[in-house]
Amino acid sequence: MARRLVAAGALLIAVALVVVLMRSGGTPYEVTLQTRNASQLVKGNLVQVAGLPVGLVKEIELADNGLAEIRITINDEYAPLRQGTRAIIRQASLSGVANRYVDIQQGEMDAEEIPAKAVLPAETTESAVDLDQLFNAFDPETRDNVRVIIRGFADLTQGRTEEANQATKFFNPVLSASSRLFDELHRNDPQLQQFIIQTSQLVTDVAAKREDLAGVVSNFGTVSTALASRDDELGEAIQRLPDFLRKSNTTFVNLRSTLDDLDPLVAASRPVVRDLRPLLADLRPFAADARPTFRDLARTISRPGDGNDLVELLRVQPSVARATTERVRANGALRPSTFDSLTDSLRTGAPEMAFFRPYAPDLTGWFDDFSTTGAYDANGAFSRSGLALSAFTFTPLAGLVPVPPALRDDVLAAGADLGRNNRCPGSIERDTGENTIPFKPSADFNCDETMVPLGP
């Protein structure tokens, strides 16, 4: 009887523990992943986030649409997942079969939550790539060649593992440089796309000129034959090539510092280069319109015939130079050359030219106002003259009329003022009150400052 009571008590305790565990555990957080290839996942594989296990693979099934559906659970402390989450099936190592796991890449933590039992579409998952799939991408002949290469590397490194390990250290800078190269290509996607489009246009244009290209290839064959006939000279050039390359290497090394100094210039030129694009676009029609001009210029420089272009003119320049620069014997004496005589004449006439130089504005004004000399009134320049005889004057019609009494004294006192031929430069103008007229280039300049225009 006592044994029955103990057994019944133990059963009641076990039932109570199950009820407590069921009430405290709750429903685990589960989601289903759709993928095109389960990649040899098995039930019980880990689910990881940043290398830490956060759940397990519970079930793998085949959906009606032919995709694999992988049901996973996530621990409560990492649930729920967020929108933007991606799932990647990875391999723990290249060896082994059941060594896959699901790597969860969480979305933004402030993104919308993914509800439990949700299905993540195939666009958000990525399958692992097996080595068998990689090798199956090659045909049998390529796989055999790859096998030969691998064996060749094994034979090459046999007994030289230390050197091989040292060589692998150089992979890092190579990969880093390749990464920067691809980053630049990615950043210049528009330019690369334009380059590919223009390359296709170039290929199309080349195809349209295939007959001309055939002529180029034929001429290249002729050039190759000519080079073959000069193999001795070509061999000598190749022998000299190492010395040339050594000197070029030194030049390129010294060029590095120069290129570093050019970096500020390149940086400062970038805005200017951008502004040059519309200018170059505007220059295209100008270049097209300039073709006739350059064609005529080419004909001016060189044209068939004698004495009708600049080339022929340059050819006769030596004789002209001899006639103008060499001394000649004439009339029984050695005479100076033309340019020497001209130089002496200019040197002798320099004082006279220096004296007349300040009068250049007056001379220019004389040519400009040749027909309007005299005084000025509201209608412009004027000049009046008349013949007076005592108290009478002649009219344009040869009539004799008396001078009015109010003007008689001025007429009788008027007369021609002669000898005014030593004026100062600029004396034809009137002073504006700044005392700058008349102008004397120097204090001892020979001119009469009193010879100024009449009137106020």
Side-chain angles (χ1 to χ4, degrees):
M1 186 67 181
R3 292 180 178 177
R4 292 180 179 179
L5 292 175
V6 171
L11 180 62
L12 291 175
I13 292 173
V15 171
L17 289 175
V18 170
V19 171
V20 171
L21 290 175
M22 291 182 62
R23 289 183 177 180
S24 61
T27 303
Y29 179 80
E30 296 182 353
V31 292
T32 300
L33 310 177
Q34 286 190 344
T35 179
R36 294 178 176 84
N37 186 356
S39 299
Q40 302 182 19
L41 273 176
V42 295
K43 183 179 179 181
N45 282 146
L46 292 176
V47 178
Q48 298 184 7
V49 173
L52 298 177
V54 299
L56 296 173
V57 175
K58 289 297 185 180
E59 196 70 37
I60 301 175
E61 298 178 349
L62 182 65
D64 295 338
N65 56 3
L67 298 176
E69 290 188 346
I70 305 169
R71 184 164 54 88
I72 63 173
T73 60
I74 303 296
N75 298 341
D76 293 340
E77 56 184 324
Y78 297 101
L81 300 179
R82 304 285 177 168
Q83 294 292 339
T85 298
R86 293 184 57 82
I88 303 174
I89 302 174
R90 299 188 184 276
Q91 300 175 352
S93 65
L94 295 178
S95 62
V97 177
N99 62 346
R100 305 311 198 256
Y101 66 93
V102 179
D103 183 19
I104 298 296
Q105 295 182 353
Q106 279 274 31
E108 299 291 338
M109 298 309 296
D110 56 352
E112 185 179 352
E113 296 181 357
I114 299 177
K117 307 296 182 180
V119 178
L120 275 68
E123 290 78 10
T124 63
T125 62
E126 183 178 339
S127 303
V129 178
D130 296 325
L131 287 178
D132 293 340
Q133 293 177 327
L134 176 62
F135 290 127
N136 289 335
F138 304 107
D139 55 19
E141 182 179 0
T142 305
R143 289 198 295 270
D144 293 338
N145 294 332
V146 172
R147 188 180 297 109
V148 172
I149 293 174
I150 294 175
R151 290 176 179 174
F153 276 118
D155 296 338
L156 179 65
T157 58
Q158 185 176 4
R160 299 180 179 179
T161 54
E162 185 64 28
E163 291 85 349
N165 291 334
Q166 292 295 329
T168 56
K169 295 180 180 180
F170 295 97
F171 287 159
N172 187 19
V174 172
L175 295 177
S176 300
S178 301
S179 176
R180 291 195 297 269
L181 172 63
F182 290 119
D183 288 342
E184 290 293 333
L185 291 177
H186 177 70
R187 186 169 59 184
N188 296 321
D189 280 346
Q191 290 81 358
L192 183 60
Q193 181 179 3
Q194 184 178 6
F195 171 75
I196 295 175
I197 294 174
Q198 292 180 352
T199 302
S200 64
Q201 295 175 352
L202 174 62
V203 173
T204 303
D205 295 338
V206 169
K209 299 288 186 178
R210 55 183 178 274
E211 295 181 358
D212 299 336
L213 186 61
V216 172
V217 175
S218 177
N219 294 331
F220 181 75
T222 305
V223 172
S224 300
T225 303
L227 289 176
S229 63
R230 307 295 294 271
D231 53 351
D232 294 337
E233 292 84 348
L234 185 60
E236 183 181 358
I238 294 175
Q239 290 179 356
R240 295 181 178 180
L241 185 61
D243 295 336
F244 170 75
L245 292 178
R246 280 192 291 271
K247 294 180 180 179
S248 299
N249 186 28
T250 304
T251 302
F252 289 139
V253 170
N254 297 331
L255 187 61
R256 293 177 182 174
S257 58
T258 304
L259 294 178
D260 293 337
D261 295 337
L262 286 177
D263 288 341
L265 175 62
V266 174
S269 300
R270 287 179 179 174
V272 180
V273 172
R274 286 194 295 267
D275 296 337
L276 281 178
R277 293 180 180 176
L279 174 61
L280 295 178
D282 295 337
L283 283 179
R284 289 184 178 179
F286 170 76
D289 296 338
R291 289 178 181 176
T293 303
F294 283 102
R295 190 182 302 113
D296 295 339
L297 181 60
R299 294 173 181 172
T300 303
I301 295 174
S302 178
R303 181 183 299 180
D306 297 331
N308 59 358
D309 54 34
L310 290 178
V311 175
E312 298 293 336
L313 178 61
L314 292 177
R315 288 176 180 174
V316 301
Q317 291 303 309
S319 59
V320 176
R322 287 192 298 270
T324 55
T325 60
E326 295 181 1
R327 302 178 69 181
V328 296
R329 184 171 295 277
N331 298 328
L334 191 62
R335 308 295 181 180
S337 65
T338 304
F339 284 168
D340 291 338
S341 300
L342 181 60
T343 303
D344 294 338
S345 299
L346 293 177
R347 187 180 295 112
T348 304
E352 287 77 7
M353 296 179 64
F355 178 79
F356 284 108
R357 172 64 183 86
Y359 292 96
D362 300 79
L363 181 62
T364 304
W366 183 80
F367 281 110
D368 180 58
D369 301 328
F370 180 74
S371 62
T372 57
T373 59
Y376 292 86
D377 61 7
N379 296 321
F382 71 92
S383 178
R384 294 192 179 96
S385 63
L387 179 60
L389 181 60
S390 184
F392 298 89
T393 184
F394 286 95
T395 64
L397 298 179
L400 186 64
V401 295
V403 177
L407 299 177
R408 189 170 299 170
D409 294 337
D410 293 334
V411 171
L412 294 176
D417 192 359
L418 304 179
R420 301 174 62 86
N421 53 3
N422 193 22
R423 295 175 177 271
C424 292
S427 62
I428 191 63
E429 301 293 337
R430 298 181 184 274
D431 192 7
T432 59
E434 299 177 354
N435 297 323
T436 57
I437 296 176
F439 167 71
K440 295 187 67 173
S442 61
D444 57 348
F445 191 78
N446 185 17
C447 68
D448 189 353
E449 300 181 22
T450 62
M451 293 182 182
V452 294
L454 298 176

